[in-house]
């Protein structure tokens, strides 16, 4: 199909200093948990982005010197010439498709504990580092500043040698020493590098000029700047210092890549911020510079992109997460296949990979991070190896993805679900406060499957062992999901919780099905991801008297990995949810609940007419048990019905099943990059 002419503007070339991007799709820097540690994986992931049509593909943060060592986070490194080949591979890979390659150089200052290098961290002023490590950064003197400039210059030259077209000076996210100098929040100096904005911006200006001097003949010099740190007068804000700074340096870089900081604000989840949430902070940037401007905001709609360009807000549509969820987003727009775009749902599972120091993963795109090690391409898949038929029972994330990917391979697929709609757990979860965008997981797959003549879908089909046998498919896949349990068994209480007769126990499934407490309720969150906090938010919103109890020291602790923890806890506190941290549930009675302090064992009794258990989920296994003895020859469980997990894990499981059907899979089912031994001495 041909491109809709309304989107032509998105495919115009744009000049950035001495280089030209072929279109306006700009994959801004993003972490991926692979970087220097899994370089082939990183390079292949970036190559796929270029293949998918992005005009610019950039690195994640690339460290310039051991004194800014961000270990164990797996960014890039250009400490010395020996680091060049890893990034050269990325450049070669992206250049194959005519994309420009960008390199985000960084010195992390107080954001790095230097756990690997053991150097002393550097900062504008003496200060403990921003991580909880018992490490203090020392104030940089003028010779340190000279050294930092030299390191940056040397790294820029290495980046040029690696083949990069755009070299970044990074002043974003409160993650770089340059941004620490800029912000009054961290800079307490009284010399020429502290005090007024001009002084605080001196290092930034010098490094921009150094970089241009070093590589500006052939490379564009970009700045990544957070124009607002969202701390009011304590930091940079877009209506005062942020704007003054852009005005001051308007024509110095070749490109302005602007956003807000910290990372949790820049990469806000859809639960808290809608697409386009940064526009109000950055809309004025283009009016004060003639240089091209790139901005982000989880843009997935080509109409929104066009209006940003035509409205004079942006020259480039920046994307990290939309490019992760769909590396082929630009090509799909170009080919008139907008409805095929796999839109990001704003869940930040991608961030959790980097935050836990493992390769990136994505809820919507199960191939993300698997491009090299498993050879998974986001758009292509091996043809079926036989004309076998596959019956999938359960149309949640795992069953739907298995049906879609098997259908793409050409298998004859039947997807059956007892429900009246496709979607499984997401039918309920997408209606929880803030999770509407998560419905895209279903919508995308429902649409794809509807286009495949070899995939039949049957709703309101309650499958039994007998009906499965009668169906006589060659392969049966159970994707029957899981249900929240009510006995309290979980992490903290592997043997359950004492529940008196007459006590009312609810689960998230009950709440999503419309049940409500008829008095005060205690929510016990032993799960630590989003569900407990969402139950509290929903019930409190409806006026319930809610007490939230968790053995963790933080509300929804695992949401640190998705950059949401602070927002969730703040929201519950502001809504008036009573919170007990580091407490376990001891006993549930008809009119009260007893909890114990995790440190002192002190007991507290709370009046409650119900307890809501967010403890664990139990796989729906009845069908499996009925089939195991005399079932079909090929019977496989995937997703939550095998072991309950994230939606991302369920989608991955469905995809993996589809990829592996009929293929030989080795015991270690992916390629690895083993360390290359250096000489002993
Ligand atoms: P997952 O996250 O693993 O995809 P879900 O819980 O989202 O799992 O989806 C499971 C789906 O399986 C639900 O839509 C449920 O209605 C369906 N299901 C469970 N048991 C049966 C059955 N015996 N027959 C048909 N559908 C079933
Ligand atoms: Fe978007 Fe979630 Fe994928 Fe990240 S993991 S790119 S937020 S869908």
């Amino acid at each position: 199909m041909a491109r809709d002419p309304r989107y032509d503007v998105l495919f115009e070339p744009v000049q950035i200093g001495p280089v030209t991007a072929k279109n306006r799709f700009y994959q801004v820097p993003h972490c991926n948990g692979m970087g220097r540690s899994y370089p082939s994986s990183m390079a292949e992931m970036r190559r796929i982005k270029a293949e998918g049509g992005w005009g610019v593909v950039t690195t994640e943060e690339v460290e310039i010197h051991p004194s800014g060592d961000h270990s164990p986070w797996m960014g890039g490194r250009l400490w010395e010439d020996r680091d060049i080949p890893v990034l050269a591979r990325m450049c070669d890979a992206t250049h194959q498709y005519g994309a420009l390659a960008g390199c985000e150089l960084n010195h992390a200052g107080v954001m790095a504990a230097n756990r690997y290098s053991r150097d002393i961290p550097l900062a504008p002023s003496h200060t403990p580092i921003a991580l909880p490590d018992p490490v203090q950064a020392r104030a940089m003197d003028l010779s340190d500043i000279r050294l930092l400039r030299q390191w940056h210059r040397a790294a820029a030259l290495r980046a040029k040698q690696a083949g990069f077209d755009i070299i970044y000076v990074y002043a974003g996210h409160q993650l770089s020493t340059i941004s620490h100098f800029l912000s009054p929040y961290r800079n307490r100096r009284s010399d020429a590098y502290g005090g007024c904005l001009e002084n605080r911006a001196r290092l930034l200006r010098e490094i921009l000029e150094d970089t241009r001097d070093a590589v500006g003949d052939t490379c564009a010099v970009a700045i990544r700047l957070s124009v607002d740190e969202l701390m009011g007068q304590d930091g940079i804000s877009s209506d005062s210092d942020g704007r003054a700074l852009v005005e001051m340096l308007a024509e110095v870089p070749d490109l302005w890549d602007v956003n807000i900081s910290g990372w949790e604000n820049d990469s806000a989840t859809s639960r808290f911020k809608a697409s386009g949430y940064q526009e109000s902070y950055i809309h004025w940037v283009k009016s004060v510079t003639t240089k091209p401007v790139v901005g982000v905001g989880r843009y997935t709609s080509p109409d929104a992109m066009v209006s940003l360009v035509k409205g004079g807000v942006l020259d480039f549509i920046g994307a990290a997460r939309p490019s992760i969820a769909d590396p082929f987003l630009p090509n799909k727009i170009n080919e008139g296949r907008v409805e095929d775009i796999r839109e990001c749902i704003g869940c930040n599972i991608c961030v959790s990979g980097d935050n836990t120091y493992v390769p990136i993963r994505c809820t919507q795109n199960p191939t993300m991070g698997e491009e090299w090690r498993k050879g998974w391409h986001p758009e292509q898949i091996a043809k079926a190896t036989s004309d076998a038929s596959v019956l999938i029972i359960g149309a949640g994330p795992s069953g739907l993805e298995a049906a879609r990917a098997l259908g793409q391979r050409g298998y004859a697929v039947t997807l059956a679900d007892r429900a009246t709609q496709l979607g499984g757990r997401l039918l309920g979860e997408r209606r929880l406060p803030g999770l509407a965008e998560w419905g895209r997981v279903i919508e995308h797959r429902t649409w794809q499957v509807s286009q495949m003549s070899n995939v039949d879908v049957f709703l309101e089909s309650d499958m039994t062992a007998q009906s499965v046998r009668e169906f006589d498919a060659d392969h049966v896949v159970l994707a029957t999901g899981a249900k929240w349990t009510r006995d309290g068994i979980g992490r903290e209480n592997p043997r359950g919780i004492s529940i008196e007769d007459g006590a009312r126990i609810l689960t998230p499934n009950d709440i999503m099905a419309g049940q409500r407490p008829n008095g005060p309720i205690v929510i016990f969150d032993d799960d630590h991801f989003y569900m407990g906090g969402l139950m509290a938010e929903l019930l409190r919103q409806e006026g319930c008297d809610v007490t939230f109890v968790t053995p963790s020291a933080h509300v929804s602790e695992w949401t640190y990995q998705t950059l949401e923890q602070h927002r969730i806890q703040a929201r519950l506190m502001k809504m008036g949810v009573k919170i007990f941290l580091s407490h376990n549930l001891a006993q549930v009675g008809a009119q009260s609940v007893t909890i114990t302090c995790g440190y002192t064992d002190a007991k507290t009794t709370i009046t409650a007419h119900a307890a809501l258990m967010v403890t664990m989920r139990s796989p729906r296994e009845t069908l499996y048990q009925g089939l195991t003895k005399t079932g079909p020859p090929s019977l496989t469980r995937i997703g939550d019905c095998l072991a309950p997990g994230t939606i991302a894990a369920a989608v991955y499981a469905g995809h993996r099943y589809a990829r592996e059907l009929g293929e030989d899979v080795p015991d270690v089912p992916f390629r690895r990059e083993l360390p290359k031994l250096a000489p002993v001495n």
Side-chain angles (χ1 to χ4, degrees):
M1 265 189 289
R3 174 169 91 210
D4 185 327
R6 280 181 305 159
Y7 305 141
D8 285 353
V9 68
L10 300 174
F11 293 88
E12 290 169 353
V14 181
Q15 195 177 342
I16 317 173
V19 297
T20 302
K22 66 176 180 178
N23 61 33
R24 297 181 186 272
F25 294 93
Y26 194 115
Q27 181 246 277
V28 293
H30 72 75
C31 300
N32 53 88
M34 300 190 289
R36 63 179 179 276
S37 298
Y38 306 107
S40 301
S41 295
M42 180 277 293
E44 181 65 1
M45 179 269 288
R46 302 291 188 200
R47 185 192 70 75
I48 294 272
K49 301 272 192 92
E51 187 190 344
W54 297 86
V56 180
V57 176
T58 65
T59 61
E60 61 278 36
E61 171 195 351
V62 173
E63 297 171 2
I64 62 169
H65 188 263
S67 61
D69 153 37
H70 228 155
S71 308
W73 284 273
M74 314 265 198
R77 237 169 220 169
L78 279 174
W79 289 359
E80 50 185 332
D81 288 356
R82 291 191 302 154
D83 291 313
I84 292 173
V86 166
L87 290 163
R89 180 180 291 193
M90 167 188 158
C91 292
D92 294 345
T94 48
H95 286 157
Q96 282 174 40
Y97 301 91
L100 298 178
C103 183
E104 185 187 56
L105 298 178
N106 188 37
H107 186 274
V110 297
M111 298 306 292
N114 295 345
R115 292 178 191 163
Y116 172 61
S117 71
R118 301 179 69 173
D119 268 11
I120 306 292
L122 299 173
S125 312
H126 289 300
T127 178
I129 62 162
L131 306 170
D133 300 46
V135 173
Q136 198 163 308
R138 69 179 175 82
M140 292 166 71
D141 61 22
L142 294 182
S143 66
D144 294 318
I145 290 176
R146 269 195 301 279
L147 276 177
L148 180 70
R149 289 176 56 186
Q150 283 168 22
W151 299 331
H152 202 282
R153 183 187 177 93
L157 285 165
R158 286 186 199 109
K160 176 179 171 178
Q161 204 182 324
F164 285 103
D165 310 285
I166 302 172
I167 312 293
Y168 266 86
V169 175
Y170 183 38
H173 296 124
Q174 298 157 11
L175 270 180
S176 77
T177 306
I178 298 170
S179 63
H180 304 150
F181 270 80
L182 264 183
S183 176
Y185 183 64
R186 296 202 184 274
N187 185 338
R188 307 191 307 274
R189 299 176 76 98
S190 51
D191 64 358
Y193 289 89
C196 64
L197 179 64
E198 202 174 343
N199 281 359
R200 283 184 276 121
R202 190 174 307 281
L203 179 62
L204 170 62
R205 183 192 283 275
E206 287 171 347
I207 290 188
L208 281 166
E209 284 164 359
D210 292 342
T211 309
R212 177 173 310 289
D213 182 56
V215 299
D217 53 340
T218 57
C219 300
V221 178
I223 175 170
R224 186 152 224 225
L225 175 75
S226 299
V227 296
D228 205 309
E229 298 180 308
L230 267 52
M231 338 172 146
Q233 292 307 307
D234 290 341
I236 301 276
S237 68
S238 62
D239 49 14
S240 57
D241 272 9
R243 184 173 182 131
L245 184 68
V246 181
E247 286 171 356
M248 192 192 299
L249 299 176
E251 303 302 314
V252 179
D254 295 313
L255 173 115
W256 285 92
D257 177 348
V258 285
N259 64 3
I260 55 175
S261 68
W263 191 15
E264 69 285 3
N265 295 321
D266 187 27
S267 288
T269 58
S270 58
R271 181 170 167 187
F272 292 95
K273 297 284 174 198
S275 169
Y277 56 94
Q278 302 209 15
E279 201 180 320
S280 58
Y281 297 97
I282 56 99
H283 64 90
W284 47 267
V285 175
K286 255 189 78 60
S287 68
V288 298
T289 175
T290 64
K291 304 292 179 173
V293 176
V294 55
V296 291
R298 238 176 45 248
Y299 296 117
T300 56
S301 146
D303 295 304
M305 296 175 190
V306 167
S307 77
L308 286 162
V309 174
K310 292 204 166 158
V313 179
L314 296 177
D315 298 289
F316 285 103
I317 306 302
R321 290 172 294 175
S323 78
I324 293 167
D326 197 340
F328 276 63
L329 183 149
N331 278 4
K332 287 177 183 174
I333 299 173
N334 196 26
E335 292 161 10
R337 297 195 294 126
V338 168
E339 63 285 353
D340 286 336
I341 294 173
R342 211 168 30 245
E343 288 180 283
C344 167
I345 67 167
C347 63
N348 277 5
I349 284 294
C350 47
V351 174
S352 79
D354 186 60
N355 269 346
T356 52
Y357 328 122
V358 291
I360 188 169
R361 56 222 47 213
C362 168
T363 302
Q364 275 285 56
N365 175 10
T367 67
M368 180 45 54
E370 305 291 356
E371 299 86 351
W372 178 81
R373 71 172 192 170
K374 286 195 168 178
W376 288 2
H377 188 283
E379 300 300 311
Q380 295 157 18
I381 193 163
K383 289 271 163 282
T385 53
S386 71
D387 57 3
S389 59
V390 187
L391 170 64
I392 303 169
I393 298 139
S398 63
L400 261 173
E401 174 61 15
R404 189 207 63 74
L406 285 167
Q408 192 187 358
R409 290 191 67 183
Y411 282 100
V413 180
T414 304
L415 176 64
D417 199 297
R418 59 159 71 117
T420 55
Q421 283 173 276
L422 301 176
R425 62 187 279 189
L426 272 167
L427 291 173
E429 291 188 28
R430 70 181 300 185
R431 293 202 305 269
L432 294 173
L435 298 196
E437 271 188 29
W438 291 23
R440 291 173 172 177
V441 173
I442 315 170
E443 283 151 15
H444 173 71
R445 290 169 174 83
T446 302
W447 164 254
Q448 295 295 319
V449 161
S450 75
Q451 301 303 296
M452 296 172 173
S453 56
N454 54 329
V455 180
D456 290 329
V457 176
F458 294 95
L459 290 169
E460 298 179 68
S461 304
D462 197 352
M463 301 296 285
T464 60
Q466 190 185 341
S467 58
V468 170
R469 273 188 215 107
E470 282 166 10
F471 195 87
D472 200 25
D474 297 311
H475 302 280
V476 173
V477 182
L478 300 184
T480 51
K483 285 189 80 166
W484 290 93
T485 53
R486 48 185 83 243
D487 52 16
I489 290 177
R491 283 195 169 83
E492 195 71 10
N493 305 289
R495 300 176 64 83
I497 287 167
S498 160
I499 299 170
E500 285 174 14
D501 288 348
R504 185 169 182 214
I505 304 290
L506 292 166
T507 71
N509 291 110
D510 297 332
I511 299 295
M512 286 187 275
Q515 290 192 49
R516 290 295 180 267
N518 50 11
I521 186 164
V522 166
I523 297 175
F524 179 57
D525 185 6
D526 198 16
D527 173 63
H528 309 303
F529 196 14
Y530 56 89
M531 188 55 82
L534 273 174
M535 290 290 111
E537 183 176 339
L538 175 70
L539 293 177
R540 186 72 198 124
Q541 213 173 57
E542 293 177 359
C544 289
D545 177 336
V546 178
T547 303
F548 182 94
V549 178
T550 178
S552 169
H554 310 267
V555 170
S556 304
E557 183 179 359
W558 201 79
T559 62
Y560 272 110
Q561 313 304 351
T562 56
L563 308 176
E564 295 171 296
Q565 195 283 331
H566 186 272
R567 281 199 170 90
I568 295 172
Q569 188 154 338
R571 182 172 281 182
L572 297 196
M573 290 168 80
K574 284 180 192 158
M575 291 177 89
V577 172
K578 286 164 263 180
I579 296 173
F580 284 88
L581 303 173
S582 305
H583 274 73
N584 194 9
L585 194 54
Q587 191 171 33
V588 186
Q591 299 296 324
S592 67
V593 162
T594 306
I595 60 173
T596 16
C597 171
Y599 296 100
T600 64
D601 279 341
K603 290 199 168 15
T604 305
T605 300
I606 301 164
T607 301
H609 296 172
L612 170 49
M613 300 289 188
V614 188
T615 44
M616 66 172 275
R617 286 179 291 153
S618 159
R620 288 196 193 90
E621 289 180 308
T622 321
L623 190 50
Y624 177 70
Q625 280 152 4
L627 285 167
T628 37
K629 291 198 181 72
T630 55
S634 163
L635 176 66
T636 311
R637 287 172 294 168
I638 58 170
D640 292 332
C641 84
L642 181 62
T646 59
I647 294 166
V651 171
Y652 183 80
H655 192 85
R656 181 174 177 183
Y657 176 84
R659 289 265 177 185
E660 294 183 352
L661 184 65
E663 309 285 342
D664 287 331
V665 182
D667 284 348
V668 177
F670 44 79
R671 284 196 284 177
R672 295 167 63 212
E673 288 187 86
L674 295 169
K676 197 166 156 240
L677 284 177
V680 178
N681 293 307

